[in-house]
Amino acid sequence: MNVTLSPWSIDDDEALAAAVRESPDLAVQLGNGALGTPPAARSYIERYLTNDDGTAAFAIRVDGTAVGHVALSHIERRHDTAWASYWVSASRRGHGLASRALATVAAYAFDTLGLFRLELGHRVNNPASCRVASAAGFSAEGIARSKLRYGSDRFHVETHARLATDPRPTLALVPVSAREAEPVR
C-alpha cells in the first residue's frame, strides 16, 4: 500500500463521491448531503479544496486514489496558529492513515510554515477521531459545549492542540507531493 499526500484535484471527483457514498457521516460533516455524485463532488472540490484561501488541503491517497483528507485552515500569522482537520473513508479507517497524515501535516506546519500551535476538535461521540488526534501528538484540552451543528443536531466537541515544542510522535510520516512544497501565505 503506497500512501501519499498531495493537493486535491477536480479529477478526484469520483473518489470523493465514492467516499461519501460509503461513509454517510461524511456527507453530513462536509455540509452537503448530495456529495455522493461526481458533479457535486467536483463542485465541492473546486469550491473548498482547491481554492487559494490560505488553506493547505491535502488528499490522503492510497495507490494514487484519494481516500481521505487532511488540512490546515484558519492559518493565523500574528499568533502562528492554525486549525487542523481530517477524515478517511469508511473502508480505509482503522489502518492509521489519518494519524500518519495528521502527524505529517503538523510537521509541515511547524517545519515549513513556521507555525507554533495547531488546534483541532472532534465530536465527543467520535472516539476514533480522538484516537487519531492523540496518536498524532495532539493533547486534549477541554470540551466546548454544543460547538458543532450538523443538520439540526448540536454536538459537544473535545478540543486538542499540539505545539511546535511538544514531543513528536513516532509515527512514520507520509510523503508529500512536491507541488505542495511552497509555503502557504
Side-chain angles (χ1 to χ4, degrees), residues 14 24 35 38 41 71 78 88 100 109 113 121 124-125 133 138 150 153 165 168 172 176-178:
E14 180 54 48
L35 287 179
R78 180 165 187 247
V88 174
R100 290 179 58 209
L113 301 181
V124 295
N125 67 344
F138 285 74
Y150 296 127
D153 297 324
T165 54
R168 299 218 176 186
V176 179
S177 166

Side-chain angles (χ1 to χ4, degrees), residues 37-156:
T37 67
R42 179 179 283 250
S43 177
Y44 183 87
I45 291 167
E46 288 175 333
R47 185 168 185 183
Y48 297 109
L49 302 179
T50 60
N51 58 23
D52 189 20
D53 67 352
T55 297
F58 300 90
I60 303 169
R61 299 182 187 280
V62 172
D63 299 328
T65 300
V67 300
H69 170 79
V70 63
L72 297 170
S73 62
H74 300 90
I75 297 171
E76 200 281 325
R77 290 299 183 173
R78 180 165 187 247
H79 301 289
D80 292 326
T81 62
W83 185 261
S85 59
Y86 49 89
W87 59 261
V88 174
S89 63
S91 64
R92 296 295 184 160
R93 293 177 187 163
H95 301 286
L97 296 175
S99 297
R100 290 179 58 209
L102 182 58
T104 300
V105 167
Y108 172 78
F110 299 140
D111 300 342
T112 302
L113 301 181
L115 298 179
F116 181 77
R117 178 183 169 88
L118 302 180
E119 301 171 359
L120 63 83
H122 64 82
R123 297 183 319 269
V124 295
N125 67 344
N126 187 349
S129 191
C130 186
R131 288 189 297 272
V132 167
S134 296
F138 285 74
S139 298
E141 292 192 326
I143 304 294
R145 297 177 305 130
S146 298
K147 181 173 182 162
L148 296 180
R149 183 184 65 187
Y150 296 127
S152 61
D153 297 324
R154 294 201 80 72
F155 296 89
H156 296 344

